[in-house]
Amino acid sequence: MNDPLAVIAELPGVPEAVQQARAAADRLYRHRVLRRRSPEVSAESALRGARASAALEGVDVPLQALRLGEAADAVPQGALRVSAELGRLGATWRSAPRQVLARLHTLAAAGLMADPGRPRTAPTTADPLGIGPAPGPEDTAARMSALAGLLSATTKAPALVLAAIVHAELAVLRPFGVADGLVARAAGRLTLVEHGLDPKSLIAVEVGHLELGDAYAAGLRAYLTGTADGVGEWVRHCAEAVVVGARETTAICEALSR
């Protein structure tokens, strides 16, 4: 199959969900505040996204504590470092995704393990979302190679579909064994940026995943089934997360306009 992502993009309900996400992004990008204050909005979106990603990893801290540097836990600190680095990694994401993922993990897992950035070579029991055991290291390595191929290949599928698959594969494979969720969500956001849905990194998509509650883990469990229904459910969830994340960023814009 020359373009497997294009097949996923045509699963039931996916085209409509993708269109809704695109419409939400377009509405956000027309907000008048972005003509003058786009960098401020992007920075605030990144902060809220980091806080939400840490919460999904099991460490929920107040946004203000994160803003003021008062959140000492290693997980939100890792989420912040990852968020701050994304803008510098876009140029190499398509050509050297493994290098980018290693860098993201080095930032995410600092203080959580001795040698971050290296793929695991042993089984892992890490399962912060309760989605079930991760594949063994050999199967994980094979699927990571396939994922790198998807990122470098040409596809007719929308950015949201590619981002959803990148996010899910990293979340379910847990290739590093620690802080994989932080890396997965950052890679998903980076894919939305570099493939054109959110080129200014404005959409707080991690907030969308968090606000959708149990649907996040349920979507990943559905993806793990490998069925068309399960994969389609996950992609539709990701589209809804973009819609909710765009709403969050719209609220940021409105607050700045006042």
Side-chain angles (χ1 to χ4, degrees):
M1 193 177 300
N2 292 330
D3 193 354
L5 292 173
V7 177
I8 294 172
E10 294 302 322
L11 291 174
V14 169
E16 295 83 0
V18 168
Q19 181 55 41
Q20 288 171 358
R22 166 57 72 182
D26 289 346
R27 284 193 300 271
L28 169 63
Y29 270 72
R30 289 195 294 268
H31 199 286
R32 62 191 181 280
V33 164
L34 296 175
R35 298 171 194 164
R36 309 180 312 278
R37 305 180 73 175
S38 177
E40 289 177 70
V41 175
S42 180
E44 180 65 17
S45 169
L47 180 70
R48 296 187 187 196
R51 182 254 162 197
S53 191
L56 288 166
E57 204 68 5
V59 182
D60 196 351
V61 298
L63 181 63
Q64 191 66 4
L66 205 58
R67 192 191 310 281
L68 297 175
E70 297 173 352
D73 191 281
V75 172
Q77 288 300 318
L80 276 177
R81 287 191 296 268
V82 164
S83 182
E85 186 77 356
L86 284 186
R88 292 186 282 271
L89 296 174
T92 54
W93 182 224
R94 297 181 196 228
S95 59
R98 292 172 187 262
Q99 177 182 329
V100 171
L101 291 171
R103 176 61 178 161
L104 289 174
H105 189 255
T106 297
L107 296 167
L112 295 172
M113 61 187 302
D115 193 17
R118 295 180 181 275
R120 61 183 172 89
T121 57
T124 179
T125 58
D127 189 14
L129 295 169
I131 61 176
E138 291 185 3
D139 288 344
T140 296
R143 284 175 65 170
M144 289 295 290
S145 294
L147 181 62
L150 281 180
L151 282 162
S152 60
T154 301
T155 179
K156 294 180 180 178
L160 187 139
V161 172
L162 176 58
I165 299 305
V166 167
H167 183 157
E169 283 292 288
L170 293 169
V172 303
L173 293 176
R174 284 149 276 175
F176 301 102
V178 175
D180 296 285
L182 297 182
V183 175
R185 289 180 287 276
R189 182 164 181 155
L190 184 58
T191 304
L192 293 176
V193 171
E194 291 304 312
H195 288 262
L197 179 65
D198 183 22
K200 295 183 179 180
S201 196
L202 298 173
I203 299 172
V205 64
E206 304 91 343
V207 174
H209 290 301
L210 180 64
E211 290 198 1
L212 290 171
D214 293 342
Y216 180 61
L220 286 169
R221 284 192 290 269
Y223 177 85
L224 267 172
T225 67
T227 64
D229 286 346
V231 174
E233 179 180 335
W234 168 248
V235 177
R236 293 192 299 272
H237 163 82
C238 288
E240 190 173 358
V242 167
V243 172
V244 176
R247 189 183 307 145
E248 177 79 4
T249 309
T250 301
I252 296 170
C253 293
E254 290 297 318
L256 287 174
S257 71
R258 291 192 293 270

